[in-house]
Amino acid sequence: MRFDKTEIALLGVGVALAISGLLAPGWLIFLLTVALAKGLVVQGVVMQMRAGMVSFGQGLFYCVGGYAVGMGGQFLGVSSAVLLLVLGVAAAAVLAMVLGLLLTRYREIFFAMLSLAFSMILYGVLVKGQALGSTDGFNVHSWGLFSGPASNPTMTIFYLTLACAAVVAFFLHRYTRSGVGVVCEATRENEVRVEYLGLSPRWILYANYVVAAVVSALGGGLTALAAGHVDPEMAYWTTSGEFVFIAILGGTGSVFAPFLAALVFALVRTYAIELVPNGWQMILGITLLVIIVFLPKGLWSLFSRKKEGAHS
Amino acid sequence: MKTVSTHATTFARRLSAGVAALAITASALAAGTAQAAENGKFRLGIVTFLSGPAAGPFGVPSANAAKVVVDALNAGKLPAPYNTIGINGVEIEPVLIDEAGGATKQVEEFRNLVERQKVDAVVGYISSGDCLAIAPVAEELKTLTVFYDCGTSRLFVDNKNPQYVFRTGLDAAVDNIGAVRYLAATHPDVTRIAGIQQNYAWGQDSWNDFTQSLKQVMPKTQMVQEQFPKVFQGQYGAEISALSVARPQVVHSSFWGGDMEAFVLQANARGLLDDAIALLTCGESAIDRYKDQAPNGMIIGARGPFGAFAPENELNTWFKTTYSGAFTMAPTYPATKMAHAILGLKYAAEKAGAKPGSVPASDAIAKAFAGATFPSVSGTATMARANGHQNVQEIGYGEYVYDSKAEKGTLRNVKTFSGDCVTPPDGTTSDEWIKADFPGAKCN
Amino acid sequence: MQSLFAVFIDGAIYASWLFLVAAGLTVIYGVMRILNMAHGSFYAIGAYSAASMIGWYFADGSGNAWVSFLLLIVCALAAGLVVGTIIERGLLRYMYGRDEILMVIITYALLLILEDVMKIVWGVSPYFAYQPYTALGRVSMMGLKMSTYDLMLIGVAIVVGGALYAWLERTTLGKILRAVIHDREVASAMGVNVAKMFTITFLVGATLGTLAGALTAPAISVVPGIGVEVIVLAFAVVVVGGLGSIEGAAAGALLVGLCRAAAVHYAPEFELFVIYGVMSLVLAVRPQGLFGRTLARKI
């Protein structure tokens, strides 16, 4: 197997982060964990964006992944983090296979709004579910990597998230350059021509939708394990909106972009909250606006601009 | 081939440079705050809503109350027994954080408060979901945390053996048990009851507690209509029609903030409140804003002996005067609750046996706090439930009256019910206690 | 019988409000292809400025309800024009031609910023501007007491909808705008100043947003966050009706309004799902919305 530069860099950054995990203060480790986990959810958004579909309802799978972790511990007595994550991924895959049949018939804003509607319906169901604590949600039971409870959950979840992120990023990188990945981009550019080539864009988008759902659910499960709490807000449209925001912030240029953007977003937000408790939304909005206006292809264009210049 | 490898190296270099830059920025900022943290002051994290719909009615009055109390404590200006400087002789440095953004974000910010900002204790949290999520983290980080407002009955059910988590606010079940007792005492003949609640945990739990209690205390009543509009909907035209059609005698609502004020305004304008008495468990928080837009005789509560229901004592007189002086309005219940929580923390910290002028350890404060009885702006509080981690106090309800000459809303027919009359004993959930017809309740 | 009547009248009132909120969104989307998240902020700014204006007008305790009603409208127009101009001239015009999704995110950032700007200007304490609402009194219909102000909203919505429709269908400017809606490039090639059309459209859309807010202010308590709450509602109505169509927005508002009122009266536990249920059902049957045009796919 030959590795290209992105894959080597991936390994390098992964190792660097793993080492910094030994030195960094607790809060930074937690922030990194959540940023990486949310970065995974954003990967799902970006995958669909590459195919020209913007999901304003990716919170649906984020929430399914999170609730699977919470309910698996609560009702099934599962204490293995790995098993809980598998549970979430499986649930999301099944749900995506059903919803995908309908959703892949839609494009553009209609896809965005319909995915939002499904996410909000899940939100409504969870709000109605008083057994699950309604909007208050509930806490995730103590867990361990393979059986619980872990002696140091903060570090365990950090390394677990890092490992998941690295592995998923590796496969996504390969995926985007595989046949399916390339056809996805072609579909975004011109769906009719893809059809003329004898391919079925709908089934390719369908497969892409399901894979994106699985990746996002993994991110949701990891977030739930890290935060120790799940609530219906995970499926609320503002949560999904935040993922789209982070996706745009990073750009679709590389598998690194969503993680980087999630990290920048988290850092800007936490320092804005600390320094300007009464006006952090404005600081966040202005920072992001500036980034979007000056780097319309996302933060990643800082790293790839030179390359593009060489091509053109 | 050569160009590719050049690209690869440039790329790798840029990437590592970027990551390094981020790491340096983050650690530099971290070092900056950490340094600020080691200044020998008592750093007190204060978390409440500064943005969103809960900011106006709850968050900002609470933050204002925290400000006046902390300033006065640092100047040693409070009446006895709180007339010593700061906390245990150490000046308090407040660190204010916005509670908006959901539980995951609040867990993150709580960790930042403790590990980056090095706070010595945290007072805060309005949202029940945030409290549930924060409690295990506070225990994990061994940080003394005082929940001042959130009401969920599940707090000490999920977290059975609390060490560092305390709640100086009352359990939400108390609101509705108290409301039923008030109704039974003042309107024993009503039979037709309706309810309108925000469709989320708070509204659902409130309505559940209220209807269950009503079945025990006033068995002749029947529920003629229940409405669950979306939270923050703001417009209740259809709901008011549906309620009017059912012709209730009492309309119970756990609405708060803008939703509550909008509902009162619309229901009053449309005549629903001419025929039915409104019973608002959080009604006191808008007592200065209803003016003549709410009917006289509307029953309002303050979720305990807070705000306009706080008893007259030296501490409360001081608090009301200082607060009104600084913010041109009397403190509403969220403000009193915040002051109450900070005083509780100060009381415990000073009983912790640390050398005056030093910051007491969390363990010592926690030990002194558990089961403590402390004087407060709300009378006398006793940490008497959940192994001494949950405050038990009386709850008051009363009728709203508008004094058109003074242009001021006031209370009449106030009745209070002792803590033991409305609070479930340890070892039983509020739901079980209500269904068993309040065994062991001691009512005055 | 009484409750059936109530469903219709409550549904009509709520539909009018929904239409007022959604109209600006659909106009902007139709012409500019911007799904404007900041529309919620316009709504909130309209509500806040109206509430301050009413508070000032009634400060000495007297005032005329009809005058105050006019004041609301004037206030909304002024706020919409000022805020719309600042945002369009100051920011958006440099962004035209960017990706549709990028525009959504830009307006989302604007929403965040404006949320705090409003906090700085108006604070977080609730504003009450009830005088126009209560001064107009109430009327009894079939044993139901309805607020006159609410009923007037129906009239306002009809007037606004009619005016928009006439503007787009009957005037030269409207014809030009429709040309831009239909095909921006061809319109531009025919000599239409598209940038100018965009400015006009954005101002109209923004003003419709502030108008909706200003007309709602007297019935509610104006607090931070009210803008965020209406965005998804407005989106849903617009999508149900078909993006960019005034008739569609009206039909969508009516459908959602009536369904919601029916749910409140007959099945309150389903109220939470109504809007998303309606949206899913309509899109399942008509993927382009009720009045949406199906576009030919370009090769």
Side-chain angles (χ1 to χ4, degrees), chain B residues 305-306 310-311 313 315-316 318-319 335-337 339-340 343 375-379:
Chain B
F306 307 114
N313 64 28
L315 278 168
N316 192 28
W318 170 84
F319 179 61
T336 316
K337 279 178 116 171
H340 169 69
L343 293 185
S376 162
V377 284
S378 62

Side-chain angles (χ1 to χ4, degrees), chain B residues 8 10 17 19 60 73 121 128 144 178 182 205 210-211 228 254 262 268 282 291 300 307 319 322 351 361 403 407 436:
Chain B
T10 330
V19 173
V60 169
L73 281 177
S128 290
L144 196 93
Y182 186 82
D205 292 349
F210 180 76
T211 49
F228 284 96
S254 60
N268 192 42
C282 304
K291 306 281 183 212
I300 58 177
F319 179 61
T322 318
K351 295 277 177 215
D403 178 348
E407 295 192 1

